[in-house]
Amino acid sequence: MRFVTERDALPTELRLALPGLVADHLDGGPRPVLEARMGLVLDLVRANVAAGGGPFAAALFEVADGSLVSAGVNMVVASHMPVAHAEVLAIALAGARLGTFDLSARGPIELVTSCEPCAMCLGALPWAGVRRLVSGARDVDARRAGFDEGDKPADWARKLRRRGIEVIGDVAREEAAGLLRAYVDTGGLIYNGRPG
């Protein structure tokens, strides 16, 4: 007979895998044109929604040649992990691949994301060594769709720039915002935490 204690019931391991439909889009080839990098990210959004996930995706690229380092999609609902945002997963997978917490150790790294980062993901950028942020939809587009983006400072882009992180917004914004609207229009789950 074995008695299960409360300690035994506490989780001590995390395992996540990107959905197969998403992983099928990751060929790893260089994408020297910024719009091509955003195109991959928006394709990941479509694949993730088709797999039952949320309408957000992100990928990390080497700035020098546009080589794909890693990618992530929103897996909050599928994983039951409130921090499983696309940007956080892409950053975590890049660290595992590169074997370092400083993603810029081998050269400047760029995060391309389908939407401006929420408060949590925004905080992860400087800690990870990201040197350039490229976003599609704006914060207002995500909020209009019903997502809670958290309490971000109004001047967040300027603050990132002061830390040496270049910020480029509105890349394919209409298409990215359209994916958020389509997700809502087809009954996609809005998965905000409950207010305290």
Side-chain angles (χ1 to χ4, degrees):
M1 179 180 283
R2 181 172 187 268
F3 294 97
V4 177
T5 66
E6 186 177 324
R7 179 175 166 81
D8 293 329
L10 294 176
T12 60
E13 182 178 73
L14 295 174
R15 289 182 190 241
L16 285 173
L18 298 180
L21 286 173
V22 171
D24 291 345
H25 285 81
L26 304 179
D27 62 20
R31 290 170 177 79
V33 179
L34 184 60
E35 290 75 15
R37 296 192 290 272
M38 182 60 77
L40 170 66
V41 168
L42 297 182
D43 285 346
L44 294 175
V45 169
R46 290 181 191 91
N48 196 47
V49 170
F56 301 96
L60 285 155
F61 298 90
E62 294 180 16
V63 171
D65 66 358
S67 292
L68 180 64
V69 176
S70 67
V73 293
N74 187 287
M75 295 184 62
V76 169
V77 174
S79 68
H80 310 290
M81 294 180 200
V83 298
H85 288 204
E87 297 90 340
V88 170
L89 295 182
I91 288 168
L93 289 168
R97 178 178 181 194
L98 299 176
T100 180
F101 60 87
D102 179 5
L103 303 184
S104 66
R106 293 191 334 194
I109 294 290
E110 163 187 86
L111 177 69
V112 178
T113 182
S114 61
C115 187
E116 290 176 355
C118 71
M120 176 182 67
C121 296
L122 182 65
L125 301 181
W127 291 108
V130 171
R131 293 292 165 241
R132 180 162 62 193
L133 168 67
V134 178
S135 60
R138 291 185 184 178
D139 179 276
V140 67
D141 300 321
R143 290 180 193 274
R144 196 174 292 133
F147 289 98
D148 180 358
E149 296 298 281
D151 296 327
K152 295 183 348 187
D155 59 346
W156 65 268
R158 183 180 60 79
K159 288 183 177 195
L160 286 182
R161 288 182 183 108
R162 274 198 344 235
R163 293 187 73 138
I165 301 171
E166 182 182 1
V167 178
I168 301 170
D170 294 342
V171 176
R173 178 184 178 198
E174 286 306 312
E175 184 179 358
L179 292 172
L180 291 170
R181 287 190 304 272
Y183 176 80
V184 171
D185 290 348
T186 58
L189 177 65
I190 305 298
Y191 40 88
N192 297 324
R194 296 179 193 266

